[in-house]
Amino acid sequence: MSDTHVLIRGQILHYLNDPGPADDPSAWEFFDDGALWITNGHIRAAGPWAAIRANMPPAIRDAATFHDHRGKLVLPGLVDTHIHYPQAGVIGSYGRQLLDWLNDYTFPAEARFADYAVAEKTATFVVDRLLAHGTTTASVFATVHAHSVDAFFRAAEAKKLRMLCGKVLMDRHCPDTLSDTAESGRADSQALIERWHGKGRLGYTLTPRFAPTSTREQLQATGELFASRPDLHLQTHLAENRAEIDWVRQLFPERSSYLDVYAHYGLLAPRTIYGHCIHLSDAERHEMTASGAAAAFCPTSNFFLGSGAFDYAASTAAGLRVGLATDVGGGTGFSLIRTLGQAYEASQIHGTPLSAMRGWYLATLGGARALYLDDHIGNFQPGHEADFTVLDWTATPELAWRMDNTHSLAERLFALMILGDERCVVATHVMGERASPG
Ligand code: GUN
Ligand code: ZN
């Protein structure tokens, strides 16, 4: 079969590294008149338009599908490191704080996924919306129902997306209709791993909801399953809310901390990602770093549920891997651009304002690294999968007005992260091909 080639022209920005708090310019590459040459869905080369074009044999250049995005920003696909797809229908539910919100809105919504048709319809909707918002990879919570994972992976597979998803493990402190058992949770997870893990671009992530909704037996079984294969992922929640933390202390008096519960059961390791991580000590951040675990920074959710403000500067200073996340439906929408704006606001609360150059790293390569997927996605290095999104700097009159007053790339990127949203997303490509608008 002959190779297929795609050629993109636009303003290309991608990261090779975390720019850090001092905005190290060697961490990114920006090609104002840039190009991506994509072969069979993978990056062949990224660089200045003139150089890439000159290097392409004329026959390939003529055969390539060309997308002209001149004047638009071409970024690696955004990475949402923590999202609950079944909660799409409860975004924006007036819910006081976390534990009430879970009981009043979230559990009833998830219970409706006992019906496969609900899961299928929601999965299709969410995958479509993710693409429309420029997100090409996510770490996704399904519900306790195994078929909710089937529905999500089918929808992701149809769009050729790189996605992680897992069945929620939850065997106590939840409605009976949403409860599994240590044994059924293990068996269902095992069957889903066999069915989906490593199928195309899909990966399985073990998903104990959070310590309060799993018995010791379930956490033990999950740790054993996680240890049984080196290539699985794992996701859960940690230190989001004060009442939640007090509850964990009561439920696990034998453990020294919330984090220690997870560590004890073998759940703190590389390829694990913890949602929220707000109320942690510096020693705990260092413990997470040493273990290889990552944190998902969910500012829209944290402000919406009144949980607090994640300390990005302290977390990264401790060496922690951090990804950005919407945490829909605690979060207020699918836009990682809006989420980035709120990440800035959270960072201001700690007196350590997040720069634009670091912010866009967080939304792309930072997320890929947090999920241990940076061998495949996150930047435009040769061989990487060509997922990217194309943003219009001037999508709204306000942005256009503001951009007239910017004088540097950093200023433009900062205005985009504060004023931008899904209206800026002109196109999203998956493995080189345009996937949205479809
Ligand atoms: N903690 C346990 N479950 C959830 C959830 O669904 N959303 C959020 N934000 N926190 C949780
Ligand atoms: Zn969550």
Side-chain angles (χ1 to χ4, degrees), residues 84 87 98 101-102 106 209-210 237 240 276 301 305 327:
H84 301 254
Q87 297 176 14
L98 173 66
W101 175 84
L102 280 175
T106 311
R209 177 168 221 120
F210 65 158
H237 297 87
E240 176 177 4
H276 309 295
S301 169
L305 291 173
D327 190 33

Side-chain angles (χ1 to χ4, degrees), residues 61-147:
R61 210 161 61 201
D62 293 346
T65 306
F66 178 58
H67 296 272
D68 188 352
H69 293 306
R70 262 178 286 182
K72 307 277 192 306
L73 178 64
V74 180
L75 277 173
L78 307 180
V79 180
D80 191 339
T81 62
H82 181 119
I83 177 169
H84 301 254
Y85 97 83
Q87 297 176 14
V90 293
I91 299 171
S93 298
Y94 181 71
R96 293 166 289 170
Q97 292 218 336
L98 173 66
L99 300 176
D100 292 317
W101 175 84
L102 280 175
N103 285 319
D104 295 348
Y105 300 105
T106 311
F107 290 158
E110 294 189 11
R112 291 195 278 280
F113 280 64
D115 178 357
Y116 179 76
V118 172
E120 188 178 36
K121 198 169 155 197
T122 309
T124 305
F125 172 76
V126 170
V127 164
D128 184 60
R129 298 318 297 151
L130 289 173
L131 286 169
H133 286 73
T135 299
T136 49
T137 288
S139 187
V140 181
F141 286 64
T143 65
V144 75
H145 314 95
H147 66 212

Side-chain angles (χ1 to χ4, degrees), residues 15-308:
Y15 290 84
L16 306 171
N17 233 318
D18 181 355
D23 279 353
D24 174 0
S26 70
W28 66 83
E29 289 184 323
F30 178 67
F31 306 108
D32 195 26
D33 184 10
L36 296 179
W37 172 11
I38 297 157
T39 304
N40 299 332
H42 293 78
I43 301 292
R44 175 84 157 255
W49 165 255
I52 297 282
R53 224 182 101 80
N55 280 335
M56 287 177 87
I60 291 183
R61 210 161 61 201
D62 293 346
T65 306
F66 178 58
H67 296 272
D68 188 352
H69 293 306
R70 262 178 286 182
K72 307 277 192 306
L73 178 64
V74 180
L75 277 173
L78 307 180
V79 180
D80 191 339
T81 62
H82 181 119
I83 177 169
H84 301 254
Y85 97 83
Q87 297 176 14
V90 293
I91 299 171
S93 298
Y94 181 71
R96 293 166 289 170
Q97 292 218 336
L98 173 66
L99 300 176
D100 292 317
W101 175 84
L102 280 175
N103 285 319
D104 295 348
Y105 300 105
T106 311
F107 290 158
E110 294 189 11
R112 291 195 278 280
F113 280 64
D115 178 357
Y116 179 76
V118 172
E120 188 178 36
K121 198 169 155 197
T122 309
T124 305
F125 172 76
V126 170
V127 164
D128 184 60
R129 298 318 297 151
L130 289 173
L131 286 169
H133 286 73
T135 299
T136 49
T137 288
S139 187
V140 181
F141 286 64
T143 65
V144 75
H145 314 95
H147 66 212
S148 69
V149 176
D150 294 324
F152 185 80
F153 276 147
R154 282 181 191 130
E157 190 177 39
K159 299 283 184 185
K160 301 187 186 141
L161 288 165
R162 183 165 287 283
M163 285 285 174
L164 302 178
C165 183
K167 174 205 118 65
V168 164
L169 296 158
M170 174 156 76
D171 66 345
R172 65 169 168 170
H173 299 136
C174 61
D176 288 346
T177 51
L178 281 178
S179 184
D180 58 9
T181 66
E183 194 35 52
S184 75
R186 181 214 297 261
D188 283 351
S189 301
Q190 184 75 57
L192 286 164
I193 291 164
E194 278 156 27
R195 191 141 71 241
W196 293 108
H197 187 60
K199 185 163 187 234
R201 304 182 76 200
L202 308 175
Y204 197 79
T205 181
L206 290 167
T207 306
R209 177 168 221 120
F210 65 158
T213 48
S214 285
T215 58
R216 290 169 181 74
E217 293 68 36
Q218 182 160 71
L219 294 174
Q220 177 77 28
T222 307
E224 286 166 10
L225 197 48
F226 188 49
S228 71
R229 294 183 61 142
D231 56 344
L232 292 174
H233 299 257
L234 183 142
Q235 61 182 351
T236 184
H237 297 87
L238 172 68
E240 176 177 4
N241 167 288
R242 298 269 182 212
E244 169 210 14
I245 294 167
D246 289 344
W247 195 21
V248 172
R249 200 171 290 128
Q250 286 164 29
L251 292 171
F252 296 91
E254 73 281 17
R255 304 267 58 96
S256 61
S257 67
Y258 194 165
L259 187 64
D260 185 46
V261 174
Y262 294 129
H264 176 77
Y265 291 103
L267 310 184
L268 198 63
R271 305 171 76 86
T272 67
I273 185 156
Y274 285 79
H276 309 295
C277 300
I278 299 170
H279 308 286
L280 291 182
S281 67
D282 226 31
E284 288 172 312
R285 293 190 188 103
H286 279 100
E287 187 185 342
M288 286 186 72
T289 301
S291 76
F297 179 7
C298 313
T300 62
S301 169
N302 297 156
F303 289 133
F304 181 72
L305 291 173
S307 305

